[in-house]
Amino acid sequence: MHATPRLLVALDGSPLEGSSVHRMLSAVCAGAREVGGEAVHVRAHCRVIQPCIACGPDATPGYCVLRDDMDEVYALLERAHAVVVGSPVYFDTVSGPLKLLIDRCNCITPLVTLADGTQDCVPRWPRTRRAAFVTACSDRHRHDLAERSVRGFLKWVGARWEETLAWVHADNALGSVPQAHLARAHALGARLVQSEPHPADAP
Protein backbone atom coordinates (compact mmCIF):
# COMPACT_ATOMS: atom_id res chain seq x y z
CA MET A 1 0.00 0.00 0.00
CA HIS A 2 1.38 3.40 -0.99
CA ALA A 3 1.04 6.48 1.20
CA THR A 4 -0.56 8.24 -1.75
CA PRO A 5 -2.75 5.88 -3.82
CA ARG A 6 -1.59 5.47 -7.38
CA LEU A 7 -4.04 7.00 -9.84
CA LEU A 8 -5.46 5.20 -12.85
CA VAL A 9 -7.25 7.45 -15.36
CA ALA A 10 -9.79 5.75 -17.64
CA LEU A 11 -10.69 7.84 -20.69
CA ASP A 12 -14.02 6.58 -22.03
CA GLY A 13 -15.08 7.31 -25.61
CA SER A 14 -18.33 5.33 -25.51
CA PRO A 15 -21.51 7.42 -25.88
CA LEU A 16 -23.55 4.88 -23.91
CA GLU A 17 -23.46 4.05 -20.24
CA GLY A 18 -23.64 0.28 -19.94
CA SER A 19 -21.97 -0.34 -23.29
CA SER A 20 -19.27 -2.99 -23.57
CA VAL A 21 -16.49 -0.38 -23.52
CA HIS A 22 -18.06 1.40 -20.54
CA ARG A 23 -18.41 -1.89 -18.66
CA MET A 24 -14.82 -2.92 -19.35
CA LEU A 25 -13.47 0.45 -18.21
CA SER A 26 -15.61 0.25 -15.07
CA ALA A 27 -14.04 -3.16 -14.41
CA VAL A 28 -10.57 -1.70 -14.98
CA CYS A 29 -11.31 0.98 -12.39
CA ALA A 30 -12.71 -1.56 -9.94
CA GLY A 31 -9.57 -3.66 -10.27
CA ALA A 32 -7.37 -0.64 -9.58
CA ARG A 33 -9.38 0.32 -6.50
CA GLU A 34 -9.42 -3.24 -5.16
CA VAL A 35 -5.63 -3.22 -4.80
CA GLY A 36 -5.55 0.17 -3.10
CA GLY A 37 -5.32 2.48 -6.08
CA GLU A 38 -7.44 5.45 -7.05
CA ALA A 39 -9.37 5.42 -10.32
CA VAL A 40 -11.21 8.17 -12.19
CA HIS A 41 -13.54 7.23 -15.06
CA VAL A 42 -13.74 10.19 -17.48
CA ARG A 43 -16.61 9.95 -20.00
CA ALA A 44 -15.71 12.19 -22.94
CA HIS A 45 -19.33 12.43 -24.13
CA CYS A 46 -20.31 14.02 -20.81
CA ARG A 47 -17.61 16.70 -20.88
CA VAL A 48 -17.50 20.12 -22.50
CA ILE A 49 -14.45 19.92 -24.77
CA GLN A 50 -13.79 22.46 -27.52
CA PRO A 51 -11.86 21.46 -30.65
CA CYS A 52 -8.12 22.13 -30.86
CA ILE A 53 -7.46 25.47 -32.60
CA ALA A 54 -3.81 24.79 -33.54
CA CYS A 55 -2.56 27.82 -31.63
CA GLY A 56 1.07 27.18 -32.58
CA PRO A 57 4.40 27.38 -30.74
CA ASP A 58 4.81 29.02 -27.33
CA ALA A 59 1.06 29.46 -26.96
CA THR A 60 1.02 29.36 -23.16
CA PRO A 61 3.31 28.47 -20.23
CA GLY A 62 0.46 26.31 -18.90
CA TYR A 63 -1.71 23.94 -20.86
CA CYS A 64 -4.25 24.90 -23.52
CA VAL A 65 -5.32 28.49 -24.15
CA LEU A 66 -8.95 27.28 -24.09
CA ARG A 67 -10.79 26.95 -20.78
CA ASP A 68 -13.22 24.05 -20.44
CA ASP A 69 -13.41 20.56 -18.92
CA MET A 70 -9.99 19.71 -20.31
CA ASP A 71 -8.47 21.57 -17.35
CA GLU A 72 -9.50 18.64 -15.13
CA VAL A 73 -8.25 16.10 -17.67
CA TYR A 74 -4.80 17.72 -17.78
CA ALA A 75 -4.56 17.64 -13.99
CA LEU A 76 -5.57 13.97 -13.90
CA LEU A 77 -3.10 12.95 -16.62
CA GLU A 78 -0.26 14.80 -14.92
CA ARG A 79 -0.94 12.93 -11.67
CA ALA A 80 -1.68 9.56 -13.31
CA HIS A 81 0.31 6.40 -12.69
CA ALA A 82 -1.63 4.61 -15.45
CA VAL A 83 -3.89 5.60 -18.35
CA VAL A 84 -6.45 3.33 -19.99
CA VAL A 85 -8.21 4.55 -23.13
CA GLY A 86 -11.47 2.93 -24.17
CA SER A 87 -13.59 3.48 -27.28
CA PRO A 88 -15.78 1.75 -29.82
CA VAL A 89 -14.35 1.84 -33.34
CA TYR A 90 -15.85 4.58 -35.52
CA PHE A 91 -14.55 4.74 -39.11
CA ASP A 92 -11.28 3.03 -38.12
CA THR A 93 -10.61 5.30 -35.16
CA VAL A 94 -12.02 6.37 -31.79
CA SER A 95 -15.30 8.21 -31.24
CA GLY A 96 -15.57 11.94 -31.97
CA PRO A 97 -15.73 13.26 -28.37
CA LEU A 98 -12.73 11.16 -27.39
CA LYS A 99 -10.85 12.41 -30.45
CA LEU A 100 -11.54 15.99 -29.30
CA LEU A 101 -9.98 15.12 -25.95
CA ILE A 102 -6.99 13.49 -27.64
CA ASP A 103 -6.39 16.44 -29.97
CA ARG A 104 -6.47 18.87 -27.05
CA CYS A 105 -3.62 16.95 -25.38
CA ASN A 106 -1.18 18.24 -27.99
CA CYS A 107 -0.09 20.81 -25.39
CA ILE A 108 1.25 18.08 -23.09
CA THR A 109 4.17 17.75 -25.51
CA PRO A 110 3.97 21.24 -26.99
CA LEU A 111 5.88 22.86 -29.81
CA VAL A 112 8.22 25.37 -28.18
CA THR A 113 11.03 27.70 -29.20
CA LEU A 114 14.37 26.57 -27.78
CA ALA A 115 17.18 28.80 -26.52
CA ASP A 116 18.99 28.58 -29.87
CA GLY A 117 15.91 29.78 -31.75
CA THR A 118 14.95 26.40 -33.17
CA GLN A 119 11.63 24.73 -32.42
CA ASP A 120 10.85 21.29 -31.12
CA CYS A 121 8.14 19.33 -29.29
CA VAL A 122 9.16 19.05 -25.64
CA PRO A 123 7.26 16.81 -23.17
CA ARG A 124 6.13 18.33 -19.90
CA TRP A 125 6.83 15.14 -17.97
CA PRO A 126 8.72 11.84 -18.44
CA ARG A 127 7.15 8.86 -20.18
CA THR A 128 6.75 6.71 -17.07
CA ARG A 129 3.00 6.01 -17.07
CA ARG A 130 1.63 2.54 -17.83
CA ALA A 131 -1.18 2.30 -20.36
CA ALA A 132 -3.60 0.11 -22.27
CA PHE A 133 -6.40 0.31 -24.85
CA VAL A 134 -9.88 -1.19 -24.39
CA THR A 135 -12.21 -1.47 -27.38
CA ALA A 136 -15.28 -3.18 -28.80
CA CYS A 137 -16.05 -3.64 -32.47
CA SER A 138 -17.90 -5.76 -35.01
CA ASP A 139 -16.28 -8.99 -36.11
CA ARG A 140 -16.49 -7.60 -39.67
CA HIS A 141 -14.24 -4.65 -38.86
CA ARG A 142 -10.73 -4.08 -37.56
CA HIS A 143 -9.50 -2.25 -34.49
CA ASP A 144 -5.76 -2.04 -35.15
CA LEU A 145 -6.02 1.39 -36.82
CA ALA A 146 -7.84 2.80 -33.79
CA GLU A 147 -5.18 1.23 -31.60
CA ARG A 148 -2.50 2.99 -33.62
CA SER A 149 -4.11 6.38 -32.92
CA VAL A 150 -4.43 5.58 -29.24
CA ARG A 151 -0.82 4.44 -28.98
CA GLY A 152 0.34 7.70 -30.56
CA PHE A 153 -1.76 9.64 -28.08
CA LEU A 154 -0.43 7.66 -25.12
CA LYS A 155 3.15 8.38 -26.14
CA TRP A 156 2.32 12.08 -26.37
CA VAL A 157 0.97 12.17 -22.79
CA GLY A 158 3.91 10.33 -21.24
CA ALA A 159 2.49 6.80 -21.21
CA ARG A 160 3.65 3.47 -22.61
CA TRP A 161 1.08 1.20 -24.22
CA GLU A 162 1.29 -2.37 -22.92
CA GLU A 163 -1.75 -4.22 -24.23
CA THR A 164 -5.11 -4.01 -25.97
CA LEU A 165 -8.25 -5.71 -24.67
CA ALA A 166 -10.73 -6.05 -27.54
CA TRP A 167 -14.28 -7.44 -27.52
CA VAL A 168 -14.80 -8.43 -31.15
CA HIS A 169 -18.39 -9.57 -31.61
CA ALA A 170 -21.15 -10.30 -34.09
CA ASP A 171 -24.13 -9.05 -32.07
CA ASN A 172 -25.52 -5.53 -31.71
CA ALA A 173 -26.68 -5.92 -28.12
CA LEU A 174 -25.75 -3.18 -25.64
CA GLY A 175 -23.10 -4.28 -23.17
CA SER A 176 -22.79 -7.84 -24.45
CA VAL A 177 -19.15 -8.15 -23.40
CA PRO A 178 -18.72 -11.56 -21.68
CA GLN A 179 -17.69 -12.07 -18.08
CA ALA A 180 -14.31 -13.41 -19.17
CA HIS A 181 -13.45 -10.05 -20.75
CA LEU A 182 -14.65 -8.18 -17.67
CA ALA A 183 -12.43 -10.38 -15.52
CA ARG A 184 -9.48 -9.59 -17.78
CA ALA A 185 -10.29 -5.87 -17.53
CA HIS A 186 -10.47 -6.12 -13.73
CA ALA A 187 -7.08 -7.85 -13.65
CA LEU A 188 -5.64 -5.24 -16.03
CA GLY A 189 -6.60 -2.40 -13.70
CA ALA A 190 -5.03 -4.16 -10.74
CA ARG A 191 -1.84 -4.97 -12.63
CA LEU A 192 -1.33 -1.44 -13.95
CA VAL A 193 -1.68 0.09 -10.48
CA GLN A 194 0.54 -2.49 -8.79
CA SER A 195 3.32 -2.28 -11.39
CA GLU A 196 6.16 0.17 -10.83
CA PRO A 197 6.43 3.20 -13.13
CA HIS A 198 8.40 2.72 -16.31
CA PRO A 199 11.98 4.05 -16.10
CA ALA A 200 12.11 7.63 -17.32
CA ASP A 201 15.02 6.85 -19.63
CA ALA A 202 13.53 3.69 -21.19
CA PRO A 203 13.66 3.68 -25.03
Side-chain angles (χ1 to χ4, degrees):
M1 183 74 69
H2 299 273
T4 301
R6 289 173 170 174
L7 173 64
L8 182 148
V9 178
L11 302 176
D12 190 344
S14 175
L16 300 172
E17 186 171 357
S19 69
S20 291
V21 166
H22 180 265
R23 293 183 66 199
M24 286 190 286
L25 285 179
S26 294
V28 166
C29 291
R33 295 181 186 118
E34 189 172 285
V35 295
E38 179 186 357
V40 178
H41 192 154
V42 178
R43 295 190 62 209
H45 282 72
C46 299
R47 303 295 177 120
V48 177
I49 300 175
Q50 301 173 70
C52 175
I53 58 173
C55 52
D58 307 315
T60 171
Y63 292 108
C64 187
V65 297
L66 303 174
R67 298 269 72 81
D68 55 20
D69 288 349
M70 281 301 299
D71 290 344
E72 179 188 358
V73 175
Y74 297 138
L76 289 170
L77 290 174
E78 183 171 2
R79 192 163 62 88
H81 173 79
V83 181
V84 180
V85 179
S87 179
V89 177
Y90 287 179
F91 291 94
D92 294 331
T93 189
V94 299
S95 66
L98 181 60
K99 188 59 166 61
L100 286 175
L101 185 155
I102 287 174
D103 288 351
R104 286 281 302 283
C105 286
N106 189 55
C107 58
I108 292 177
T109 301
L111 180 63
V112 298
T113 303
L114 305 178
D116 62 1
T118 62
Q119 294 179 339
D120 199 2
C121 293
V122 178
R124 295 185 184 275
W125 55 64
R127 196 176 169 208
T128 57
R129 292 150 186 78
R130 293 182 173 270
F133 177 42
V134 171
T135 187
C137 64
S138 163
D139 61 0
R140 294 177 297 169
H141 299 92
R142 53 194 291 187
H143 60 79
D144 59 309
L145 298 176
E147 179 192 290
R148 182 177 179 180
S149 293
V150 169
R151 291 176 67 169
F153 160 71
L154 290 169
K155 180 179 181 180
W156 211 251
V157 298
R160 295 178 183 275
W161 171 89
E162 297 181 16
E163 67 177 276
T164 291
L165 176 57
W167 167 227
V168 181
H169 56 103
D171 65 81
N172 291 309
L174 177 67
S176 65
V177 59
Q179 187 59 41
H181 275 65
L182 296 177
R184 287 178 59 191
H186 189 279
L188 172 64
R191 180 183 69 76
L192 291 175
V193 164
Q194 290 179 313
S195 299
E196 293 301 310
H198 284 289
D201 57 352

